[in-house]
Amino acid sequence: MRLAIRKYGDPILRAKGKRIEIVDERIRALAANMLETMHAANGVGLAAQQVGHALQLTVLDVSQVEDRPSALSLNGAPVEDPASVMPLVLLNPKLRLSDDKDSGSEGCLSFPDITAEIDRAVSVEVEAETLEGKTIRLDASGLLSRALQHEADHLNGILFIDRMSSAAKASHSSKLKRLQKETSKGI
Ligand code: ZN
């Protein structure tokens, strides 16, 4: 089932996600619906807050993006074709960021028609749980590293506008105000 994607201005986007202790039918159904919603919207990632749940749950899929490569190791073993392990469903992710950063274009399904250059760590180490109750370790770089950092931010109530340069934020300010107004009318 496709879920409604919450837009900027909806207070749930600022909520910190609760740790998921037990994977029950409700969590499995939510993850499946989030995957369907992300794919239908052509997104590479979606966090639970974006569909109205303050939980530490995110889904990602970079397999459709051909012009921005990703590199990935899973539990220490390099994955030759990152697309082969997509989509990812991650619970309670913990990130360790590399010190080196680079700038890249980012958008967000909660901010239609807004993209900006955002500085992110070049690579990231993630420890997370899966729906099967396993703990996995991912080492990612490229687009997947960026997407993981963007989604982990969502799980903590942080949005990509918080990481925009003040000049970029200023250039989007009228769009952001309009979006916020539309959202508050709809709630
Ligand atoms: Zn987002």
Side-chain angles (χ1 to χ4, degrees):
M1 186 177 75
R2 282 188 207 174
L3 307 170
I5 296 176
R6 304 299 183 92
K7 303 290 180 349
Y8 176 54
D10 189 320
I12 191 82
L13 293 176
R14 289 300 187 184
K16 196 169 156 54
K18 257 177 58 182
R19 226 188 114 72
I20 297 172
E21 302 293 349
I22 296 165
V23 178
D24 54 14
E25 201 39 56
R26 190 180 71 97
I27 296 294
R28 273 190 286 271
L30 176 60
N33 290 335
M34 284 170 62
L35 283 170
E36 189 181 335
T37 304
M38 173 183 71
H39 284 137
N42 295 316
V44 297
L46 189 67
Q49 278 80 347
Q50 292 179 281
V51 292
H53 297 270
L55 290 170
Q56 294 282 325
L57 170 64
T58 181
V59 299
L60 299 110
D61 190 345
V62 296
S63 63
Q64 300 306 309
V65 184
E66 282 166 2
D67 55 340
R68 297 175 75 184
S70 298
L72 171 68
S73 290
L74 180 59
N75 300 322
V79 176
E80 209 161 299
D81 178 13
S84 66
V85 296
M86 300 291 146
L88 295 169
V89 177
L90 303 178
L91 284 65
N92 309 321
K94 282 195 215 82
L95 271 60
R96 194 178 305 154
L97 308 180
S98 68
D99 290 333
D100 45 340
K101 290 193 178 359
D102 69 358
S103 183
S105 174
E106 243 171 75
C108 178
L109 294 176
S110 295
F111 293 80
D113 304 322
I114 294 178
T115 57
E117 293 288 314
I118 308 283
D119 281 347
R120 296 279 185 190
V122 170
S123 58
V124 65
E125 184 187 311
V126 181
E127 195 181 280
E129 288 146 45
T130 66
L131 286 177
E132 292 74 36
K134 283 188 203 140
T135 299
I136 56 168
R137 204 188 94 204
L138 303 171
D139 292 275
S141 58
L143 179 64
L144 183 59
S145 166
R146 179 169 293 279
L148 284 162
Q149 293 171 68
H150 180 112
E151 297 314 321
D153 271 355
H154 272 301
L155 301 185
N156 290 305
I158 299 166
L159 301 172
F160 83 143
I161 52 170
D162 305 339
R163 301 199 184 276
M164 276 181 199
S165 68
S166 45
K169 206 172 167 185
S171 77
H172 291 301
S173 71
S174 58
K175 262 189 190 172
L176 288 169
K177 274 192 200 121
R178 200 181 325 134
L179 183 56
Q180 209 166 18
K181 213 182 208 174
E182 281 167 13
T183 302
S184 61
K185 269 190 215 150
I187 288 173

